[in-house]
Every structure is written in structure tokens, then in C-alpha cells.
Amino acid sequence: MSGIKRRLEAVSFFDHTGISEHLERMASKGWMLEKITNLGWIYRQIEPKNIRFAVSYYPKASEFDPEPSESQKIFHEFCAHTGWKLVCTSAQMQIFYNENDDPIPIETEPELELQAIHASAKKSFIPSYILLTLVGLMNVALWVSNLLGDPIALFSSSSKLFTGVAYLALMILCIVELITYFKWYSEAKKVCGQGIFLKTPNTSKFQKIVLTSILVFAFIWAFDYFVNGDLMKKWVLTLVAIYIPSLFIIVNCVKDTLKKLKASRGMNRTLTFLTSFLVSFGLLGLIIYATLFASSHGVFADKNEETYEHNGMTWIIHQDELPLVVEDLIDIDFDGYIKQHSSDSSLFLAQLDMKQYPRFDAEEYKDIPYLEYTITIVRVPQLYGLCKESILKSHKEAVVRNREYRIDEAELWNANEVYRSFDLDYGFQNQYLLCYGDMLVEMYFDWEPTSDQMKIVSEKLLNNIE
């Protein structure tokens, strides 16, 4: 819409001096604040002019109030008599402007102003930032748990890396804001009795750096996810990209509609929170159901790929290129194989899962040889030892089997090191860990490989894996 600008402002709730100075700069450029919403600050185009702004706080107010209280209206009328006109309100924050060059300040008692700010902060800013800090802390703890439990899955997933960085940044941002506020409040409290207005600290630059970094990483992740991901990943990413703004818009529409209908604060808050809960879980459930339904009905199958029906499900006949196939190792005349290649990749690691198995509807399905192997490409040498130890540890600690990797002959595999799975009850198994220069390969056979087959494995993997 012409003459309207919407911005996401990086300002602190308590930084009334910073907010006033920012709005004065915007007015000098020809933009007057009109409304503050959860989706951004809305400005209306005006003739550029020098205008004074002031931010006042009313602790008893709420974003769910249908209209200002009587005491607020009286205060607004008092301000209007001294030249201060109300711009807008946002919960406890009230913003005024004055076109006089040297207006009388709205707040003349530093102690009363500080009490109003702190009472308002305790009602909204402090609890919400503490909650966000705890959410960030829990997710960072989960990220660290994943790092200790399965570092390969973590470092090979750009999604997990991005969410870890995002929650860490969120936690740091909230902690910095809380520390900054309480430090300022403590210092302001000491001097307000002397009639001194202590200017609020401005963390706008820090907030912009953190938020910009998150947005840049989010864009890189989304671009890589959308370009290099398969059809299912693109589907999920698109639905999530629709889900997040839709949730915000729906919840805000409900809140604003209830305010226009003059619903009480309590009713508005209850219905808005209930809407948020139901819509968020409803949309997530719909996304999950739609994804599973589409997957089971072959929607994500490549148009060039065939499908078949088995046990009421649609299965894709994958024919992906694999660096090593069963036919390279044994002489077999069977054309019903599924060849599936999936991968996850980041700047640190790439994990490639290769599977070759018969169709589920094949005769004597269990007697047909299959091959399965996982390749981890280590792009950062410092992570090689961590990845190897993770594989050895996870194999030993697996609940469903009582196995461990033991050192085996490496020369036949042309590898730096080779480990073979050993079952404490049944002896050696046909499962191997092959260690090459920057590559770790977990091989699963359903037969015992010969020395010639071992050489073929190393040749195919070393020559065909980039």
C-alpha cells in the first residue's frame, strides 16, 4: 500500500529514550508511527519534520484490553493539554508526540517513572524473556545431548546445526537483555532520588547483529534444503513456511477482532491463547497427516520412477545410482532390486546411506542377497576421530544387540583401519567399519565376503565417492 511502511524494530521494551530518538529520526525522514503489532511497526508517510516523541508506561494496561481504561483516558487528555498527542499504545507502552521545539516533559519525577517502567517490565518483558531463555536453554541442552550421543547425525544435518545456532542466539539475546535491564534499573534506582533521569541503554545494534545472523543462516539453510532436498523435504519446508506466518496472522486476527467487539481482557486472553494452542497443534497435525498420506500414496515419487502396491501401501521402485551394488560382488540374475540412495550434508560432514534390497513382493524375499552401507565423508579433519569413536561406541551400546567392533585385517580392504562386528554370543558378524583417509564406511552383508570381494569394495568406494 502506498504511503505505508512496515518494519521489524530491534528495540528493547524498557529503552524509552532509544525508542523516542528512533521515532524522531523516522519522522525527520517522513515516516510517522501509526501502530505497533506483533507483526511489525506500521508507519504512515508524512512531510519530513522535526517532532519530539516520548514513551510512557502504564503498568495496569494489557495488550488484550478492548480500549484504554478511564484513568488512561484522563492521562491522555492531560498530556494533550500540554501538547503531547497520543500516537499509539502497545500493552503497557504508550507513545506520544509533540510538535513544539522545547516541550514540557511528560514525566517529571524520575522515581515515579522508574517505578512505572519496572512494574510494566515485571508484567510483560521480564517473564517473557525468562521463558524464552529457558526455552533456548532446553533446546541448547538437547543440541549438546545430540552432540554427545550422535555427532555424525548432528554435524551432517544443516537443519540441526541451524536450529542449534538459532536457539543459542535466542538464549544469548534474552540473557543480554535481562542483564542489561537489571543493571540499568539498579543504577537508575540509586540516582532517581536525586532527581536524575538515567538514560536507558541501547542494545539495538547487538539485537540487529544477532537477528541478522539468524536470518542469514536461515536463508542459507532453507536455500540448501530446498535446492538439494528431495521432493518430500521441499514439501515439508513449504508447509512449515506457510504454517508459521499463518499461525501469527490467525492468532492476531482473533485478538484484534475480540478487541473490536469490546470483549473483556480476560475473555480475550483466554480465547486468544486457546486459539493459539488449537491452531498450532491442528496445523501441525494436518502437516504430519498430509505428509504421511502423500508419502504412502506415492506423491513424492519421481515421475520417472515406477511404483508398486504391497500390503495396501504404494512403494517406490528406486533405481538410484550406487557406487557399489550386489552385482559387483556376486553373480546373480535378479531384476527386482530396489536401489536407494539418501544423504544428509553440511559444511562439516556428509552422510550417505546406500541400500540395495529386493522388492517386498518378490518371491523368496528373505533368500535374496541384499547390501547396505553408510558412508560418512569428513570434510573437517578435526572431526574424524570423533566420528570414528561415535560409530564404535554406538555399535557397542546398541540395546537390541550385544555386539562390539573389534580390529580386523585392513590390508585386504586397502584401508587404514578395519573393524569387524563381534557378537558376544555368536562370534564375528558380517558387518564392518572401514576407515579411509577422510571417509568412514559401515558395511552390512548378509553373506561373508571373500578376499576378492573385499578388494572390489575398496576399489569401487575409493573410485566412485567424491
Side-chain angles (χ1 to χ4, degrees):
M1 183 182 297
S2 178
I4 297 295
K5 177 183 290 189
R6 187 185 296 270
R7 288 166 54 104
L8 294 174
E9 302 293 7
V11 295
S12 301
F13 170 81
F14 58 89
D15 185 17
H16 58 91
T17 52
I19 293 172
S20 299
E21 291 170 358
H22 168 72
L23 293 177
E24 289 169 5
R25 289 193 297 269
M26 291 294 292
S28 67
K29 297 175 183 178
W31 293 102
M32 167 66 82
L33 178 66
E34 191 169 76
K35 188 178 182 181
I36 297 177
T37 73
N38 291 334
L39 300 175
W41 292 33
I42 300 173
Y43 296 84
R44 172 176 45 84
Q45 194 168 22
I46 60 171
E47 287 294 326
K49 59 177 68 175
N50 293 323
I51 303 176
R52 296 290 177 264
F53 284 84
V55 180
S56 178
Y57 295 86
Y58 186 72
K60 295 181 180 180
S62 168
E63 62 177 316
F64 300 102
D65 288 337
E67 58 184 3
S69 64
E70 288 301 318
S71 58
Q72 275 184 285
K73 291 178 180 179
I74 294 173
F75 177 68
H76 295 165
E77 291 174 1
F78 170 78
C79 291
H81 283 301
T82 58
W84 290 101
K85 301 175 183 178
L86 182 67
V87 178
C88 67
T89 63
S90 177
Q92 298 83 29
M93 188 165 62
Q94 306 169 106
I95 300 177
F96 300 86
Y97 77 95
N98 196 317
E99 298 189 44
N100 297 327
D101 293 332
D102 189 21
I104 300 173
I106 293 178
E107 302 288 354
T108 57
E109 294 291 335
E111 191 169 0
L112 294 178
E113 180 186 35
L114 185 63
Q115 290 175 1
I117 293 174
H118 190 56
S120 299
K122 288 193 296 183
K123 190 172 182 180
S124 58
F125 162 70
I126 294 175
S128 61
Y129 270 63
I130 289 176
L131 179 61
L132 288 173
T133 300
L134 294 175
V135 170
L137 181 61
M138 286 188 294
N139 280 276
V140 169
L142 180 62
W143 192 88
V144 173
S145 176
N146 290 334
L147 173 62
L148 299 176
D150 192 354
I152 295 178
L154 177 63
F155 281 109
S156 63
S157 171
S158 56
S159 300
K160 292 179 180 179
L161 289 172
F162 164 68
T163 52
V165 170
Y167 277 114
L168 178 62
L170 173 66
M171 184 180 70
I172 293 174
L173 178 62
C174 292
I175 291 174
V176 168
E177 283 291 289
L178 289 169
I179 291 176
T180 301
Y181 171 74
F182 281 110
K183 184 174 183 295
W184 168 80
Y185 174 69
S186 176
E187 294 174 353
K189 193 174 181 181
K190 294 176 182 177
V191 299
C192 67
Q194 305 171 23
I196 299 176
F197 287 91
L198 186 64
K199 184 177 180 179
T200 52
N202 191 311
T203 62
S204 179
K205 289 184 178 179
F206 172 74
Q207 292 185 54
K208 288 178 181 178
I209 291 173
V210 173
L211 296 175
T212 301
S213 300
I214 293 176
L215 289 175
V216 169
F217 280 114
F219 176 79
I220 294 173
W221 163 74
F223 180 80
D224 176 70
Y225 206 70
F226 196 83
V227 171
N228 298 321
D230 55 27
L231 185 58
M232 180 183 288
K233 289 183 178 181
K234 294 176 183 178
W235 164 283
V236 173
L237 179 62
T238 302
L239 291 180
V240 171
I242 296 173
Y243 158 75
I244 295 175
S246 297
L247 178 61
F248 272 95
I249 292 172
I250 292 172
V251 172
N252 276 278
C253 284
V254 170
K255 182 182 70 175
D256 292 341
T257 300
L258 290 172
K259 290 174 72 172
K260 291 178 181 178
L261 294 174
K262 307 299 182 181
S264 67
R265 176 194 297 186
M267 180 180 291
N268 193 328
R269 181 191 292 112
T270 301
L271 292 178
T272 299
F273 285 169
L274 183 61
T275 300
S276 175
F277 177 82
L278 294 177
V279 171
S280 61
F281 277 90
L283 289 178
L284 280 175
L286 183 61
I287 290 174
I288 294 172
Y289 173 78
T291 302
L292 293 175
F293 181 85
S295 177
S296 64
H297 286 76
V299 173
F300 302 124
D302 192 299
K303 293 182 179 179
N304 298 321
E305 291 180 326
E306 298 180 9
T307 61
Y308 70 98
E309 302 292 328
H310 180 67
N311 286 343
M313 299 280 287
T314 300
W315 301 91
I316 301 173
I317 305 176
H318 294 283
Q319 290 299 313
D320 300 333
E321 289 290 332
L322 302 181
L324 175 70
V325 295
V326 172
E327 292 86 346
D328 293 328
L329 303 174
I330 59 177
D331 185 15
I332 183 171
D333 183 17
F334 178 70
D335 58 0
Y337 272 121
I338 303 295
K339 298 176 182 178
Q340 189 172 357
H341 173 194
S342 60
S343 64
D344 214 347
S345 177
S346 74
L347 296 174
F348 301 95
L349 299 176
Q351 190 170 49
L352 318 174
D353 288 319
M354 315 288 183
K355 296 179 181 179
Q356 183 181 4
Y357 54 91
R359 290 171 46 151
F360 297 126
D361 59 355
E363 294 184 9
E364 300 180 349
Y365 167 82
K366 295 183 179 180
D367 296 327
I368 301 173
Y370 71 90
L371 185 62
E372 183 177 349
Y373 51 103
T374 300
I375 300 172
T376 301
I377 301 174
V378 185
R379 292 169 176 163
V380 178
Q382 290 77 6
L383 294 176
Y384 188 90
L386 177 66
C387 293
K388 187 182 79 169
E389 290 303 318
S390 174
I391 295 173
L392 295 174
K393 182 180 178 182
S394 62
H395 184 73
K396 184 176 181 179
E397 294 180 351
V399 176
V400 296
R401 56 189 177 224
N402 192 19
R403 298 181 182 181
E404 63 184 15
Y405 272 126
R406 294 188 177 181
I407 296 178
D408 198 33
E409 179 62 47
E411 184 177 354
L412 293 176
W413 297 95
N414 195 26
N416 298 332
E417 291 180 291
V418 170
Y419 296 83
R420 185 174 182 181
S421 178
F422 183 82
D423 190 297
L424 300 181
D425 295 322
Y426 302 102
F428 283 106
Q429 306 296 303
N430 297 319
Q431 180 176 346
Y432 300 83
L433 171 62
L434 314 178
C435 305
Y436 294 100
D438 62 349
M439 188 167 66
L440 296 164
V441 183
E442 297 170 81
M443 296 288 306
Y444 309 84
F445 300 93
D446 68 344
W447 73 90
E448 184 162 353
T450 66
S451 57
D452 289 337
Q453 291 171 343
M454 294 177 185
K455 293 178 182 178
I456 293 174
V457 168
S458 63
E459 290 173 1
K460 289 290 183 179
L461 295 181
L462 293 175
N463 294 329
N464 295 331
I465 301 297
E466 297 181 357

